[in-house]
Amino acid sequence: MKVIVVGSSHGGFETVRGLLAEKPDTEIQWYEKGDFISFLSCGMQLYLEGVVKNVNSVRYATAKGMRAKGVNVFVHQEVTHVDPDKHQVTVHNLDDDSTRTENYDKLVLSAGAVPATIPVPGNDLQNVYAMRGRDWAIKLKAKTVDPDVENVTVIGAGYIGVEAAEVFAKAGKHVTLIDMLPRPLALYLDQEFTDILTETLKAHNIYPASGQAVKEFVGQNGKVTAVKTDQAEYPSDLVIQAAGLKANTDWLKGTLELGKKGLVNVNDHLETNQPDVYAVGDSTEVPFAPTGKKRQIALATNARRQGRVVAKNILGHDMTMPAISGSSALSVFDYHFASTGVKQGTADALGVKSASVFVTDTTQPPFVPETAGNTKVYFKLTYDPSNKRILGAQIMSKRDVTANINAISLAIQGKMTLNDLAYADFFFQPGFDRPWNIMNVAAQKALKNEQ
Ligand code: FAD
């Protein structure tokens, strides 16, 4: 059986890995249009801040290593067309500009997404950047030490935008963080959390210009000099666009069934509407456990799970994509937060009826001094008041307690209720936590509210 995998990021990598793990002699052709395989944008902040020194190490796999495992790796070769009837793809070799066709028995597309360009005048000016992939990582790194860059404007205050803002603030730049939404990280955290983080951002030379729409990139001599919003103008030597994604699927129009935002329609086995063609990763939707409906949630975790599911199905198993909760975590200077599922602030848009409880506590019992790590922790639990089912949670502290959110993710997937969580067994050790874990405390408080 010959399998062609398109795209070398998370989804493509996991597909190849899954095939090799179970059937190492599978004939695999793995295509990447860039000149580097398996760069991980997830590791970009660590590289830009100098924690990871070598940009080339921010990856899962090398072409040499994968070839040694028998995979036919093609770098700088773009798959430009799929002919499902002939089970054939067209490949454009970007090195010598030649074109050829290749046959497949199974085809896996993990073509991902690219940062959305903000459709305003001046978006083609120099020094208007994005934050995704190795090429941008190298360009951004140079700007962190460029003395001509004093003012950096980041557009989009989601987790990628906040990562970018933190990188440049730590590099000594003055940063403006623009978003149309009224709060930074509004899709990840409710206001109780973002109020604290907004103050933290300001304290670190990042100005959150929230609730503002970008109208123009102003330039001089071809270079950006300012960003105009509907409310103000911000001097800018560098602009980073981090305001959403565009599925990389234009080349598949007319071949595959595409849904909203150009995402490839896949069934629960991750098959497209064409036989033997699968799609995974940021150019697809995933089943969202709290609602049972599909959503686009662009995370490496989802792409990896999808890649594994596809590998299993190609090898003859019958696996459906498990519903995910959409869990993510981030550090913002001293704070660490994680969230999963539905938030109070996203419930309406998701068409979900919800109620929430917010709990503030200390990470450890009161007798443990701050010098031993005892510090404040904030937790919010969201549930369906009609059946008490757990729908989501958020946690934040200066101590890293983010892993708690994985327990809530599991509770969502397992359709657990407040009653399950209120008395669930979590360990206690004063060096780590309290006899009643904050998740127990929140569920107990919610049950009381619902009496
Ligand atoms: P992509 O990563 O978009 O990659 C697609 C690849 O396919 C690219 O290399 C592209 O060149 C190639 N390609 C596309 N079309 C073709 C073609 N026709 N022929 C050949 N090659 C092609 N997620 C997390 O879970 N945790 C994190 O901490 C996290 N941090 C992130 C930080 C940043 C800055 C960014 C940008 C993203 C982060 N993500 C994180 C999200 C995660 O990176 C994405 O969800 C993931 O990369 C999606 O993988 P993918 O396989 O769908 O495609």
Side-chain angles (χ1 to χ4, degrees):
M1 178 171 48
K2 178 173 168 187
V3 183
I4 289 184
V5 179
V6 180
S8 74
S9 182
H10 295 271
F13 171 76
E14 186 64 45
T15 306
V16 172
R17 186 169 175 261
L19 291 169
L20 288 178
E22 210 169 314
K23 202 166 178 301
D25 60 347
T26 311
E27 185 186 350
I28 304 171
Q29 285 195 345
W30 192 15
Y31 286 93
E32 170 53 53
K33 70 178 176 184
D35 53 12
F36 187 89
I37 71 158
S38 187
F39 182 79
L40 305 179
S41 294
C42 311
M44 213 156 155
Q45 186 179 8
L46 292 171
Y47 165 66
L48 294 175
E49 290 182 359
V51 179
V52 175
K53 304 288 177 215
N54 182 352
V55 70
N56 289 349
S57 66
V58 187
R59 58 170 20 176
Y60 293 131
T62 61
K64 192 175 167 205
M66 295 310 276
R67 284 182 188 129
K69 292 181 179 171
V71 180
N72 300 299
V73 182
F74 298 94
V75 180
H76 219 205
Q77 303 209 14
E78 180 173 7
V79 174
T80 53
H81 180 68
V82 180
D83 186 334
D85 295 334
K86 291 189 184 153
H87 273 52
Q88 215 169 56
V89 294
T90 306
V91 180
H92 180 200
N93 184 335
L94 298 162
D95 282 333
D96 61 10
D97 203 22
S98 62
T99 298
R100 67 178 191 282
T101 55
E102 292 279 356
N103 294 319
Y104 61 82
D105 297 306
K106 305 280 180 186
L107 173 66
V108 184
L109 303 173
S110 190
V114 290
T117 305
I118 298 158
V120 294
N123 65 7
D124 54 350
L125 287 165
Q126 284 172 44
N127 292 344
V128 176
Y129 280 22
M131 182 156 161
R132 191 178 178 105
R134 179 172 170 273
D135 292 350
W136 285 118
I138 293 168
K139 287 182 181 175
L140 285 168
K141 181 79 178 176
K143 292 293 181 193
T144 61
V145 291
D146 183 342
D148 291 339
V149 174
E150 287 175 18
N151 294 300
V152 177
T153 299
V154 179
I155 300 165
Y159 73 77
I160 295 169
V162 169
E163 282 186 355
E166 186 165 341
V167 163
F168 281 93
K170 284 179 177 166
K173 317 293 182 189
H174 176 260
V175 181
T176 304
L177 181 60
I178 301 176
D179 201 299
M180 286 174 79
L181 296 173
R183 300 175 284 111
L185 293 162
L187 298 178
Y188 300 87
L189 293 169
D190 285 331
Q191 189 161 354
E192 296 91 335
F193 302 86
T194 57
D195 280 352
I196 298 168
L197 291 183
T198 300
E199 292 311 310
T200 305
L201 293 171
K202 285 183 191 163
H204 288 88
N205 213 13
I206 298 173
Y207 171 67
S210 302
Q212 301 194 23
V214 173
K215 292 290 175 202
E216 186 185 344
F217 298 146
V218 181
Q220 217 177 6
N221 302 327
K223 280 189 187 166
V224 73
T225 54
V227 175
K228 250 189 210 170
T229 71
D230 52 359
Q231 294 169 37
E233 182 166 327
Y234 301 99
S236 310
D237 307 306
L238 174 71
V239 171
I240 302 169
Q241 301 188 83
L245 293 176
K246 184 181 177 310
N248 187 10
T249 54
D250 282 352
W251 62 289
L252 295 166
K253 274 182 194 159
T255 306
L256 296 184
E257 199 179 279
L258 304 180
K260 57 184 176 212
K261 298 192 220 155
L263 297 169
V264 182
N265 283 345
V266 288
N267 64 17
D268 59 4
H269 284 65
L270 305 176
E271 294 161 321
T272 67
N273 66 314
Q274 295 290 359
D276 299 318
V277 183
Y278 299 81
V280 302
D282 283 2
S283 52
T284 64
E285 290 187 314
V286 283
F288 186 51
T291 60
K293 293 182 189 151
K294 284 190 173 180
R295 284 180 73 191
Q296 184 192 21
I297 303 182
L299 284 172
T301 44
N302 300 338
R304 293 286 301 254
R305 275 151 191 73
Q306 290 176 304
R308 183 66 66 87
V309 168
V310 165
K312 292 260 178 212
N313 286 331
I314 286 175
L315 295 176
H317 302 276
D318 179 15
M319 192 168 174
T320 55
M321 175 63 192
I324 56 88
S325 309
S327 314
S328 60
L330 189 69
S331 294
V332 181
F333 297 98
D334 293 343
Y335 282 101
H336 314 285
F337 78 82
S339 70
T340 190
V342 177
K343 289 108 215 163
Q344 191 182 341
T346 59
D348 282 352
L350 291 167
V352 174
K353 202 164 170 279
S354 75
S356 297
V357 281
F358 180 68
V359 179
T360 308
D361 207 342
T362 53
T363 51
Q364 292 150 274
F367 72 85
V368 181
E370 269 183 42
T371 48
N374 199 6
T375 186
K376 266 191 178 171
V377 54
Y378 309 92
F379 182 74
K380 187 163 178 179
L381 184 66
T382 299
Y383 58 95
D384 180 341
S386 67
N387 57 13
K388 302 193 177 69
R389 205 187 136 187
I390 292 157
L391 295 176
Q394 303 151 67
I395 197 163
M396 189 168 88
S397 175
K398 287 188 176 173
R399 184 163 177 168
D400 182 5
V401 288
T402 51
N404 282 298
I405 283 301
N406 287 333
I408 301 294
S409 172
L410 201 58
I412 296 170
Q413 287 178 310
K415 298 189 167 58
M416 289 185 179
T417 65
L418 293 176
N419 295 299
D420 298 316
L421 189 61
Y423 301 100
D425 173 30
F426 298 118
F427 71 83
F428 165 55
Q429 212 289 327
F432 297 108
D433 63 358
R434 309 196 62 156
W436 286 109
N437 184 291
I438 199 158
M439 296 182 285
N440 297 129
V441 175
Q444 291 167 12
K445 185 173 171 184
L447 281 174
K448 207 168 165 200
N449 289 354
E450 293 301 320
Q451 270 172 9

